[in-house]
Amino acid sequence: MEWAPSYTLGTLKSDLIAGITIASLAIPQGISYAKLANLPPVLGLYSSFVPPLVYAMMGSSRDLAVGTVAVASLLIGSMLSEEVSAAEDPALYLHVALTATFFAGVFQALLGVLRLGFIVDFLSHATIVGFMGGAATVVCLQQLKGMFGLDHFTTATDLVSVMRSVFSQTHLWRWESVVMGCGFLFFLLITRFFSKRRTRFFWVSAAAPLASVIIGSLLVYVTHAENHGIQVIGYLKKGLNPPSATSLNFSSPYMMLALKTGIITGVIALAEGIAVGRSFAMFKNYHIDGNKEMIAFGTMNIVGSLTSCYLTTGPFSRSAVNYNAGCKTAMSNVIMSVAVMITLLFLTPLFHYTPLVVLSAIIMSAMLGLIDYPAAVHLWQVDKVDFCVCLGAYLGVVFGSVEIGLVVAVGISILRVLLFVARPRTTVLGNIPNTMIYRRMDQYTAAQRVPGVLVLRVDSPIYFTNASYLRERIARWIDDEEDQCKEKGEMQFQYVVLDMGAVGSIDTSGTSMLDELRKTLDRRGLQIVLANPGSEIMKKLDSSKVLEAIGHEWIFPTVGEAVAECDFVMHSQKPGMVMGSGAPHENLV
């Protein structure tokens, strides 16, 4: 409804070129990623036909190219293989995979309908960098099976298990697969390097996977390499997506497995798709609605699960090709779907001789681009905690499993949030000479202390998690200030001004803390003064009687007015007289 009414022939030309370009990438990638999920290769083509049509109608991104992704495929393969064997019971495995896709779609759509997209935000940038890098490493390690031509391989994804499986079968390595795999991997990496150096030749890298499939298939067909240890795809069913609503498995033994897999893969697919969509929207200066995107992703996966498709989202590599090809609207997804439809109807027999080692090379070349070394170095230079989050995610995926890496990364991120909330910053403010401005003394060298007054700023909401810490921290600031006054022989300070400007909210534990702090200061002969509390804070303090205990005359709209009042009272020597206890303070209260 947004782009269709103003669609022009010139726009169609741009989308046509982009759609054909991404189709040349989607076909080999779809087949490769389906194998990665331990699913029939034709499902990768099915998943590049129906979901893009749904997204073209519902999605808000103009640049996102929808299809299967390696990380989600690996997650589905590793999680389902723990309880269901794709080799021993392929029909059951397929049914559980389609059911997991259905649950992923329902979960994604619900997040959008209920506007709960903030859940995806728990996957921070550092988390995604580490997780994607670890997943890419694991995917590359899994492709060693195809590169060495091994028939039996571990279902585990951790580094130790994979290396043990590879090097315990050195006598079964096939040099033909090694030579062909390394050759095509080198070809794919060279084309990517060339396209990065010469951006106008982006299509060289985009067409390289399909070219590899064609060349590899011709080599096998001419040399009969399948009789010499080169494994091939074999028969691919011709025809469009068959309906699969009756294939969904909601029986008790496997329903929880499908639900768990669907939720985890759904969150990962959402995070990747929305992050990619927002990145390209920023380049073209338009906005995408995160909740609408979630509904679009959820709908296309629900529809996909009913039409023999497994989990899809917006992969970065395909979307980057779509963007570089000059796409204008989501019509490029429709054109890609048409190209895949033609392939399914007429061209699937041509993939019979496609060697699996070429598919492994395609996956490895795509995954190497997801290991973002510069981003990890940047995290180390900027924020060591973020680097630890990234490293924890990476090591968790590589030495544990994809699920463990995800849990470690999210756990560290949540721990960091809790640490910031539980240990908020408190700083001493000083006066900029000849002004009513107060700034942090550790940041502004010109800021000076006000004799007799200690000004403190609290830089977070006050909750039950940090109330005790803030009370102790403020008490330490007061002790330090008293010690400095004694050392310098200065006048003992009489007022503690709390700048509440950054305190966005407060709970009952926070109001109790302020009341206890007031009582403590009263016993020490000090007066607590509040500056710049928000209206919500004032209501809480008023309803809890803390405001009445402190005194309305000791609540001020700015730090400058609070300190001026304290200074006036100290110099007037008449504590009962409070200047300005009329209109300004009454208005604030």
Side-chain angles (χ1 to χ4, degrees), residues 398-415:
V398 172
F399 290 98
S401 65
V402 178
E403 305 97 285
I404 291 175
L406 184 61
V407 169
V408 169
V410 174
I412 297 176
S413 297
I414 294 177
L415 183 63

Side-chain angles (χ1 to χ4, degrees), residues 540-556:
K540 293 282 185 70
L541 296 178
D542 193 25
S543 59
S544 61
K545 306 300 182 183
V546 175
L547 194 64
E548 182 180 340
I550 293 175
H552 291 179
E553 67 273 14
W554 295 112
I555 313 297
F556 296 87

Side-chain angles (χ1 to χ4, degrees), residues 410-421:
V410 174
I412 297 176
S413 297
I414 294 177
L415 183 63
R416 183 179 189 184
V417 172
L418 294 176
L419 183 63
F420 284 157
V421 173

Side-chain angles (χ1 to χ4, degrees), residues 205 207 214 227 236 254 321 381 416 431:
S205 177
I214 295 172
N227 299 326
L236 281 184
Y254 303 107
V321 170
Q381 294 171 342
R416 183 179 189 184
N431 176 246

Side-chain angles (χ1 to χ4, degrees), residues 247-258:
S247 299
L248 300 184
N249 191 323
F250 297 111
S251 59
S252 55
Y254 303 107
M255 182 176 174
M256 292 309 299
L257 172 64

Side-chain angles (χ1 to χ4, degrees), residues 9 113 118 164 279 372 418 427 454 479 492 522 533 542 562:
L9 188 62
V113 171
F118 67 88
R164 184 185 295 119
S279 298
D372 198 346
L418 294 176
T427 53
L454 174 63
D479 292 339
Q492 186 70 23
D522 281 346
D542 193 25

